[in-house]
């Protein structure tokens, strides 16, 4: 598999040293709404004006976008207010229509990224097009599916390419509409360090009051930009009303964001960081030694249980252990959720190991000496 060679973000966007910002309404609703939103974004540090024209909605009988008719509205907003434009494409016909109207950037939505056939059709339609393409993560937390979509578009020759991190659908309800699962964005960055990642705090949170915090967390991780749904009258929006902000609120959010540097050349800072990292390395090695020692005891327990034909799980013991460790962790200033999650992993692995030991095939009994000598040929 060849690496995805993405053009550095600065080469296609001109933006360097600060996050790239894409903003605009979830959906284009009317020419007046598109123009009014764009007008109020003038003077706000926005690099691309977004609007959804074809909306892939989870449920039918909801607003599915204005369609092709809205393309001239978007181009006009771009021309009149000096903004580059962006929209979501889900079919080759969308790509052709968007390119015909001179839309400056295209993105593939989360519900499309999940389907390799659709992504391949889009990649084929994008062949030879000179337009940046951003690919949202699939709704499911599947890095390979996300990577595969980038590869398909890359193989079609598109080099101005990037990823949009918009959170992942989960079965349980959480404070977020699509929890960010930052660990996946971090792992994506580790696997593809050259691909810019734009975070979409609007679809992650689903709530405008949380947008600022999630945007800051993305910048704290050194991610490269933000896509923020921005509407002239958010409460009246035809889609995603609860998460959209006004252009004025977006301006405030952007002013409050702290952009972190990737590193610093300050020698004292670098020396102290290195010393602290050495301490972390030593502590981690001790942690691993302790986990290995713990596992050896687990194996002894498994031997005893096997000899006595006792089950691997005693739920009352597990429950008491978990309560004790969570309380102890809290007393040490560690969060209860963190301790619980950690112990769930530790316990899952020790149950797995115990069950492996308990189900090992019985060792063959050593052959009886007297039988062997009786059946052995005479020496
Ligand atoms: C959108 O950006 O309006 C959108 C539909 O987002 P997603 O594909 O992330 O759900
Ligand atoms: Mn939306």
């Amino acid at each position: 598999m060849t690496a995805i060679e993405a053009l550095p973000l600065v080469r296609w966007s001109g933006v360097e040293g600060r996050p790239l910002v894409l903003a605009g309404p979830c959906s284009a609703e009317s020419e007046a709404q598109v123009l009014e939103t764009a007008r109020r974004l003038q003077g706000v540090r926005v690099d691309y004006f977004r609007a959804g024209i074809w909306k892939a909605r989870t449920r039918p009988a909801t607003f599915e976008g204005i369609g092709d008719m809205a393309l001239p509205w978007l181009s006009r907003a771009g021309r009149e207010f000096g903004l580059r434009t962006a929209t979501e494409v889900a079919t080759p016909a969308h790509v052709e229509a968007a390119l015909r109207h001179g839309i400056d950037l295209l993105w593939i939505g989360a519900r499309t990224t999940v389907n390799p056939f659709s992504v391949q059709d889009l990649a084929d339609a994008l062949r030879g097009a000179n337009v940046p393409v951003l690919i949202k993560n699939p709704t499911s937390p599947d890095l390979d599916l996300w990577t595969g979509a980038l590869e398909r578009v890359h193989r079609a020759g598109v080099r101005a390419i990037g990823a949009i991190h918009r959170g992942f659908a989960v079965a349980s309800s959480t404070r977020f509409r699509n929890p960010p699962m930052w660990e996946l964005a971090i792992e994506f960055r580790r696997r593809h360090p050259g691909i810019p990642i734009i975070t979409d705090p609007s679809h992650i949170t689903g709530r405008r009051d949380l947008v600022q915090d999630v945007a800051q967390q993305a910048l704290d991780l050194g991610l490269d930009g933000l896509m923020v749904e921005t509407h002239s009258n958010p409460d009246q929006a035809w889609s995603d009303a609860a998460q959209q902000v006004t252009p004025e609120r977006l301006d405030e959010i952007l002013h409050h964001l702290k952009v972190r540097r990737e590193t610093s050349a300050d020698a004292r800072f670098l020396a102290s960081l290195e010393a602290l990292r050495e301490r972390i390395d030593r502590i981690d090695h001790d942690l691993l030694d302790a986990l290995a020692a713990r596992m050896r005891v687990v194996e002894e327990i498994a031997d005893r249980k096997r000899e006595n034909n006792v089950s691997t799980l005693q739920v009352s013991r597990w429950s008491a252990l978990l309560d004790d460790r969570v309380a102890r962790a809290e007393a040490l200033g560690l969060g209860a959720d963190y301790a619980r999650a950690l112990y769930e992993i530790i316990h899952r692995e020790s149950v797995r190991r115990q069950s492996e030991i308990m189900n090992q095939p019985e060792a063959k009994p050593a052959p009886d000496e007297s039988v062997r000598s009786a059946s052995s040929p005479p020496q």
Side-chain angles (χ1 to χ4, degrees):
M1 200 188 309
T2 53
I4 304 171
E5 295 155 38
L7 266 183
L9 188 142
V10 59
R11 293 270 300 280
W12 53 266
S13 70
V15 171
E16 195 169 27
R18 64 168 178 83
L20 179 82
V21 178
L22 300 96
C26 176
S27 305
E29 299 163 7
S30 68
E31 183 162 31
Q33 170 251 9
V34 170
L35 293 176
E36 167 72 358
T37 307
R39 184 183 65 74
R40 284 163 52 191
L41 281 171
Q42 272 190 304
V44 182
R45 212 190 51 209
V46 168
D47 303 294
Y48 288 88
F49 178 59
R50 64 151 280 163
I53 285 176
W54 304 280
K55 302 297 297 179
R57 303 307 299 279
T58 302
R59 308 283 303 272
T62 48
F63 171 59
E64 295 196 310
I66 295 282
D68 293 44
M69 205 175 90
L71 282 165
W73 308 344
L74 193 52
S75 321
R76 180 171 167 202
R79 267 196 323 277
E80 287 191 11
F81 301 106
L83 290 160
R84 287 178 287 187
T85 52
T87 200
E88 173 178 340
V89 288
T91 68
H94 298 163
V95 172
E96 283 151 30
L99 293 177
R100 222 179 315 114
H101 285 82
I103 303 299
D104 299 297
L105 177 149
L106 306 178
W107 81 84
I108 298 179
R111 287 166 196 74
T112 305
T113 308
V114 293
N115 184 341
F117 289 124
S118 301
V119 174
Q120 190 56 53
D121 286 347
L122 288 171
D124 294 341
L126 285 162
R127 194 174 290 281
N130 185 19
V131 66
V133 180
L134 303 180
I135 298 171
K136 287 200 170 195
N137 64 257
T139 47
S140 50
D142 184 340
L143 286 187
D144 286 337
L145 204 49
W146 196 5
T147 302
L150 280 139
E151 281 168 347
R152 288 178 195 278
V153 174
H154 179 261
R155 287 166 73 142
V158 181
R159 293 292 176 269
I161 202 171
I164 301 179
H165 162 234
R166 51 76 81 196
F168 300 88
V170 289
S172 51
S173 71
T174 70
R175 169 169 113 93
F176 294 123
R177 179 178 176 194
N178 294 295
M181 303 176 82
W182 295 108
E183 66 282 9
L184 292 188
I186 294 169
E187 176 59 13
F188 187 92
R189 161 99 340 146
R190 196 184 68 78
R191 292 191 197 173
H192 313 288
I195 298 183
I197 304 178
I198 314 298
T199 291
D200 171 346
S202 309
H203 289 91
I204 288 176
T205 61
R207 287 172 44 174
R208 66 180 71 109
D209 62 321
L210 298 177
V211 164
Q212 165 110 49
D213 282 356
V214 168
Q216 184 63 59
Q217 283 181 54
L219 300 195
D220 290 350
L221 288 174
L223 302 186
D224 308 282
L226 300 167
M227 178 186 259
V228 184
E229 284 192 339
T230 308
H231 190 289
S232 52
N233 188 356
D235 286 330
Q236 299 304 316
W238 298 0
S239 56
D240 291 351
Q243 71 196 29
Q244 304 204 56
V245 297
T246 60
E248 296 70 30
R249 175 70 192 128
L250 175 68
D251 197 30
E252 270 174 29
I253 292 175
L254 296 177
H255 273 103
H256 281 105
L257 288 176
K258 293 185 196 64
V259 180
R260 320 283 185 196
R261 290 175 294 181
E262 197 185 338
T263 186
S264 154
D266 183 281
R268 277 198 15 222
F269 160 77
L270 290 174
S272 68
L273 191 64
E274 196 176 305
L276 289 166
R277 284 177 170 168
E278 274 169 21
R279 277 169 62 189
I280 288 278
D281 290 348
R282 277 200 298 278
I283 292 171
D284 277 350
H285 295 165
D286 291 348
L287 269 175
L288 288 169
D289 289 345
L291 285 171
R294 189 186 194 283
M295 193 56 89
R296 284 192 289 276
V297 178
V298 165
E299 287 165 359
E300 276 191 47
I301 290 178
D303 287 338
R304 301 291 166 277
K305 286 183 178 171
R306 179 187 163 119
E307 286 156 18
N308 291 280
N309 200 27
V310 167
S311 64
T312 46
L313 179 67
Q314 280 75 45
V315 92
S316 56
R317 160 68 181 160
W318 162 230
S319 188
L321 183 153
L322 187 62
D323 289 349
D324 173 77
R325 305 305 189 264
V326 169
R328 200 181 166 87
E330 278 190 293
L332 291 166
L334 299 167
D337 288 348
Y338 172 51
R340 186 167 293 109
L342 196 59
Y343 267 89
E344 274 164 3
I345 295 175
I346 291 175
H347 186 248
R348 195 189 319 138
E349 183 60 10
S350 65
V351 168
R352 194 198 62 75
R353 185 77 191 109
Q354 282 192 47
S355 132
E356 197 174 70
I357 292 174
M358 305 218 2
N359 291 303
Q360 265 164 9
E362 296 285 333
K364 285 218 176 70
D368 187 321
E369 262 322 301
S370 58
V371 176
R372 186 173 353 140
S373 47
S375 60
S376 311
Q379 302 283 313

